[in-house]
Every structure is written in structure tokens, then in C-alpha cells.
Amino acid sequence: MGVVCSIADTIEDFWQALISKRCGIREWEDLRTLNFKYTYAHRISDVECDPLWRGFELAKKTISQALQQASPNSKSRIGLFLGTTMGESAAFEAIAEGNRDIAPHDYTGDGICRKLRKHFPQIIMHRCFATACAAGNYALKAARQALITGDIDIAIAGGVDPFSKIAMTGFSRARAMSPSGLCRPFSADRDGMVLGEGAGFLVLERVEGAAPSSRVLATLDGCALTCDAFHPTAPRPDSAGIVQCFYQLSTLTSTDFNSIDWVCSHGTGTKLSDTSEARAIGKTFQEKIPWVSSIKAHIGHTLGAATAIEAIVCVLSIINEKIPPTVNTESSDLGLEIPSTPISRPINRVLNCGYAFGGLNSITQFSKCR
Amino acid sequence: MQVNWKTYKITGENEEGIAELFAEYVRKEQLQFHGVRSALYLLTNAAGSDSSIKFWGNALEHSPRFANPNIFPWTLANATAGYLARQFSIEGPNYTLVSSILDVNDILEIYELEKAELQLESAMLIVWECQEENALTVNVQFGYFG
């Protein structure tokens, strides 16, 4: 696995930062200069690269980490499955600022994939999912499917989104941003999200085909996808689309909801989204609601990278037998138990939830490898 | 399975307008969709790019504090697929893939797998090609599976 975000650029540091409740938020002078209403964000401060290819750079760094850890056989057929919201947002911003030499088609998520394939020539195919904040889960599902069908031996799956002034403006104008600059998922006094950036990638292979030297960290059991078909940006008031997504996952994986140890939630900190998510969890887990935690207060909302980075959190929680805490949230008024400190316990099964504009609902399930 | 692929060339004032025009064409077909047993698969080369450029241009003109919020949802490549899902109550999987090579087989293979896995009764498969010289002209290849 590999990760880059506002609080860490290695897997080890990332987990320590989560457990020690480190938060990557800062105020940014350039946003103030540009007259943004909200000037706090979770950005990565030490990336040296062509600003138009920041997403590529983050993905490259993260994939390198993941491949180094997994050390796949050099003859393996590798597929790349990448989720993103906007691709290289800075390129579209530059065009709007008057740079007419830039071809927008080159800077989509597919453009990032093509550049990654040049850098990692062992990748023989790629798919790019532009499914906004659920994109990482889409990539994981497609990667799993490609491994099952035998099209590839190894999958690199994840998501990336560099910091986007377009997204910063859009979420601000959608009144989704936190005026206090504090993301407080599921808390009664939550007042919105804070934007982040980052990348997260996981190396997947079939358990039965894994090399003897492979250390299997966890299994990806399945992924469910539904669509609210209700509103461009707002969730359904009855949360039916998310509930349906939970049930689809349960059917696909034959999982009893009582066996879920915790839910790695979408948990953006906005009034509407957190309420909808909590309602869906309440409807789904009628007997016993598991722990629910969100890392968005630590690293911000990393959009297309979010569910990929959160998938890494799921795996790390299984390995380390700990549920990470939710920063800035001491209690919830939504009927959920949110850990404000790390919870040590055996973790056998975790759900990774991501929802997106366009009404997209996605949930992946990770389990301890038997 | 017999599928009639249809093609359209649509020009609009913005990406939302193009999606609306396409939905009108589909509506005339009087196709049946089945809620969670329906799915939508859209493959595009650049959906969202034109709106992204326009939105940031609008922010530069009026300040990020006053940018037109109606453009923002269309900056996302999956806005068109989300819009069509709302028009036809397609509540199953909703995909947007981005590729410079628009090979319908890329979405067809996902549909074939999910048709069996999720017992889908209907699906919309769309190739949404934004012209490089004018992103507001889109060549659409559309197939209904029911």
C-alpha cells in the first residue's frame, strides 16, 4: 500500500498520525490572496513538480511505495485502476487563466494513467473511473473483477486528486465548507467539510495465486454500487440508496451485518451528508450498530482519493487491531458511537463507505485473511 | 442479445444542455428501466472539462466568493451519468469511465459481469465523445439493454 496526504507520505507515518490524532489543516495565504471565502485546507506542502502534473506526481509516489512493499514478480501482468474526480484540475484552471497551449483532453484522469504507464512500463492496461468522491471504491471493484477473470496477475488500485481551486470554489458555493475550518464528522456542532488532497493505492492479487513470499494483509471481499437518482448534489432524505447499497454488499459477500467490527465512514462533516449516512447505518444495523469513524477531520476530503485512502485505513486497522479515532468529534447526536480515542480490539471485518455528487453510493468490504 | 446502437451528434450551449437534449432523445424511445435492477455505463473522453474551465473562468471574473454555483456540479465528469439516472430512475450502478480511446467494449464487459452478478433487467450504455475542437459538440453512441 502507498499513501500521500496532508499528514503523512508513508504508510507507517500515516497510521501513527491517525492514531495520535494528528490533523493536517492549515490556513493558506494563496487562497486568501485569491479572495476565497474559506482559506483553510489540508494540502501537501512539499511536492516539487510541474504544477499541471501534481496529480500524476502524487500517484507516482504512492504507487512506487505500494510496489516496493508488495514486490510483485517482474513477469506479472499488472493492471492500473485509478479513481479521480477531476484529474489535473490545475490544467483546467490554467486554461481558464488564458493558457491556450494546454489540451484539456491530456489532463483528465486517463491522461494521468497514460503518464503513469510510461513511468511504470510493467503496467499493461488501465481503467480510469471519474466517479467523484466514490471513485476509489469503483477502482477497487474493477481491480478485483479483473483479477477474478484472470485478465491480470496484479492490480494497482486506488485514487488521486491534487488540490483543486475549482473544487474549493465549488464546495464553498455549494455551502458545504466549514466556516469554523474544523471538520467534525457526525458531531452535533458539525458545520461542514474541509478540502484535502492526496493519493492512495493498494496492490491486489488473488489469494490463491499469491507468491509464497507475499504477505497478505487483508482480503477485499466485494464492492456494492448504487445510485440515488434523486438530486445532483444532495442525498436522498430517506437514505434508501445507501441502505440498498449495504444490502447489495451483504448479498454479494454473504455477510451477516453483526460480523462488522467498524464502519470506515464517508463522514464529511456536513449536516446533510452525515445525517443521511447515519440514518442509513441505523436502518441497516438494526440489532447492533458497529463503531463508526471518519478520517476526514485528519486529512480533509480528498475527493477521488478518499475511498482509496480509507481502504488503506481499513486494512491498517485489521493489521494493527485498532479502530482509528475521529478527530474533533467527542460525541454524536445521530445515534452513532464515534471513537474519540483509538479502540484496541481484534478487527475481522470493516466496511469502507464513499458517497458522491451525482447520487453515487459505494461500499467495499475488507476482512482479515484466514 | 440483439442491441440497436444509435448515434447522435448533439451541440448545446453547455454540458447540462447537451445532457438534457440527449435525455429527450432517449425519452422518445419509451424504454423501460427497473430501479435498482437498472444500471448506467458511460464512457467519455472529456466530460466535465468544458464546465471546469468555465467555472474557474467565472470565479476569476466574479471572485471565487461569487462564482456561479450552478456550473459546479457539471465540472464533475460523472454529472451527465447522474443526470440521466435521475431522468430515468436508474438506481443500480452508475459508471463514468474516462479514456482517450473510446472502445465500447470497456463498458460492455463491466455490464456483462454486473448483469449476472446483480441480476440487472435493463441498462444504458453510452459512449460520450466530446469533440476536441469544440467540447460543446458531442458524438453519442447509445445502446439500451433490456
Side-chain angles (χ1 to χ4, degrees), chain B residues 40-52:
Chain B
L40 194 154
Y41 305 85
L42 186 144
L43 175 66
T44 181
N45 56 345
S49 300
D50 185 73
S51 298
S52 294

Side-chain angles (χ1 to χ4, degrees), chain A residues 6-36:
Chain A
S6 64
I7 56 171
D9 60 3
T10 67
I11 287 289
E12 293 73 21
D13 286 352
F14 178 55
W15 182 247
Q16 286 310 314
L18 291 179
I19 293 302
S20 59
K21 301 175 73 169
R22 203 184 309 154
C23 175
I25 196 162
R26 262 184 54 190
E27 187 171 24
W28 293 87
E29 189 57 38
D30 62 327
L31 300 180
R32 186 175 288 282
T33 305
L34 284 164
N35 197 30
F36 274 86

Side-chain angles (χ1 to χ4, degrees), chain A residues 18-167:
Chain A
L18 291 179
I19 293 302
S20 59
K21 301 175 73 169
R22 203 184 309 154
C23 175
I25 196 162
R26 262 184 54 190
E27 187 171 24
W28 293 87
E29 189 57 38
D30 62 327
L31 300 180
R32 186 175 288 282
T33 305
L34 284 164
N35 197 30
F36 274 86
K37 186 173 183 182
Y38 305 112
T39 51
Y40 284 88
H42 294 258
R43 291 160 81 178
I44 304 163
S45 50
D46 54 353
V47 184
E48 285 183 19
C49 66
D50 177 349
L52 299 187
W53 287 109
R54 189 177 176 88
F56 161 73
E57 196 64 30
L58 298 179
K60 183 184 83 178
K61 190 170 178 177
T62 312
I63 290 170
S64 297
Q65 280 178 41
L67 286 174
Q68 191 177 4
Q69 185 194 47
S71 307
N73 185 316
S74 60
K75 290 179 182 164
S76 298
R77 295 169 300 154
I78 300 180
L80 171 65
F81 301 83
L82 181 142
T84 185
T85 295
M86 295 184 162
E88 300 287 5
S89 177
F92 303 117
E93 292 157 14
I95 295 169
E97 287 159 9
N99 189 337
R100 298 291 164 187
D101 295 332
I102 298 171
H105 292 212
D106 293 342
Y107 292 88
T108 62
D110 181 69
I112 295 176
C113 288
R114 281 182 276 129
K115 208 164 160 68
L116 285 168
R117 283 182 67 174
K118 282 186 185 160
H119 189 81
F120 299 104
Q122 62 271 48
I123 297 173
I124 60 163
M125 56 81 68
H126 74 268
R127 292 282 182 275
C128 174
F129 300 87
T131 39
C133 310
N137 271 346
Y138 276 75
L140 286 163
K141 174 165 184 168
R144 183 177 182 275
Q145 201 60 58
L147 287 168
I148 290 170
T149 54
D151 295 342
I152 51 172
D153 305 312
I154 301 280
I156 301 168
V160 61
D161 259 317
F163 183 77
S164 164
K165 288 183 282 196
I166 292 171

